[in-house]
Amino acid sequence: MRITWQGHSCFIIEADGKRVIIDPFLNGNPLAKIKPSEIKVDAVLVTHGHSDHLGDAIEISKANKAPVIGTFELVNYCTERGATGHPMHIGGSYTFPFGRVKLTIAHHGSTTDTGPVGNPCGLIVSMGGKTIYHAGDTGLFSDMALIGEINPIDCALLPIGDNFTMGIEDAIRAVGFLKPAAVVPMHYNTFDMIRQDPEIFRKGLAGKPVDVKVMKPGESIDI
Ligand code: NI
Ligand code: MN
């Protein structure tokens, strides 16, 4: 599985010739290295309706005829605006041609320009024999231990920006709950309010059985 970070919470995940994008915030994302028009994907996975996550999902869905996958209310918002979609909800999983997706809880909000669009979620995505957990925007919660126990995680993508989500201290605790083989920090340094030093996150996990991968925007890693 290849994971490419486009800054903030936006990742492109590839395996076995299939490709999905998660939280495609590209227009207006100062860290993104690619334009929405350049994105070629089989699906668009979205954790919640905030503009720094929903981003360019509708445009990318239309251009690729790729479904937006997320919670029922958020997918309805997208399909009402011309996207294709596959609605799911928390606790549910579904096997798509590219792999399996399961929605998890996330403690946060989910609104768009028109108001609330249901609950936010996290994502468990399995492709090419590997499993990632994208936490979305969330505070720390102890059920992360259950998420990690049920779905052995090869790589966890965790927010560290603080203010709107977990900060570094809580993200270090999250790693203890999830027990992933590797962890990538996200949702930091996009804006001043979420400025963080990822090396403090790395140092906080020194000696723990996890591979901390601090990525540069546009960088890819293989897991
Ligand atoms: Ni948010
Ligand atoms: Mn956010």
Side-chain angles (χ1 to χ4, degrees):
M1 178 193 276
R2 172 158 291 183
I3 299 171
T4 305
W5 190 43
Q6 292 297 341
H8 211 54
S9 299
C10 179
F11 291 86
I12 296 163
I13 312 292
E14 298 167 77
D16 299 336
K18 303 284 187 188
R19 190 181 300 128
V20 304
I21 189 164
I22 302 176
D23 284 358
F25 171 48
L26 300 172
N27 268 324
N29 175 353
L31 303 179
K33 302 292 180 201
I34 193 166
K35 294 193 195 81
S37 59
E38 297 170 299
I39 298 289
K40 298 278 172 277
V41 286
D42 298 288
V44 184
L45 280 54
V46 185
T47 61
H48 64 292
H50 293 160
S51 58
D52 58 320
H53 297 261
L54 180 61
D56 306 293
I58 293 170
E59 178 187 338
I60 294 168
S61 169
K62 286 180 186 172
N64 290 268
K65 296 184 171 55
V68 175
I69 298 169
T71 57
F72 177 78
E73 295 85 354
L74 178 57
V75 169
N76 283 349
Y77 172 90
C78 294
T79 56
E80 281 164 9
R81 286 156 181 79
T84 53
H86 179 109
M88 298 181 65
H89 231 300
I90 291 161
S93 64
Y94 190 83
T95 301
F96 295 89
F98 64 83
R100 182 169 170 267
V101 176
K102 185 175 187 181
L103 302 198
T104 70
I105 59 167
H107 292 301
H108 193 65
S110 184
T111 54
T112 63
D113 52 349
T114 60
V117 283
N119 293 85
C121 70
L123 302 163
I124 302 276
V125 183
S126 299
M127 292 171 67
K130 298 283 183 177
T131 296
I132 61 146
Y133 168 55
H134 185 296
D137 277 0
T138 187
L140 179 67
F141 54 92
S142 59
D143 275 357
M144 285 179 173
L146 189 60
I147 291 171
E149 188 186 317
I150 296 172
N151 317 276
I153 297 165
D154 294 292
C155 188
L157 314 173
L158 300 182
I160 65 161
D162 217 340
N163 192 75
F164 295 112
T165 68
M166 295 187 280
I168 287 176
E169 253 179 64
D170 284 357
I172 288 167
R173 276 189 176 260
V175 170
F177 284 139
L178 292 160
K179 300 189 177 13
V183 62
V184 174
M186 64 175 182
H187 208 272
Y188 69 96
N189 289 357
T190 327
F191 313 112
D192 279 339
M193 256 193 290
I194 56 171
R195 212 151 277 292
Q196 296 294 338
D197 179 358
E199 291 307 319
I200 295 172
F201 178 66
R202 187 201 296 282
K203 281 185 197 127
L205 288 164
K208 301 275 167 57
V210 63
D211 188 4
V212 181
K213 295 181 181 294
V214 174
M215 296 180 72
K216 291 188 179 67
E219 187 185 350
S220 298
I221 55 169
D222 291 321
I223 63 159

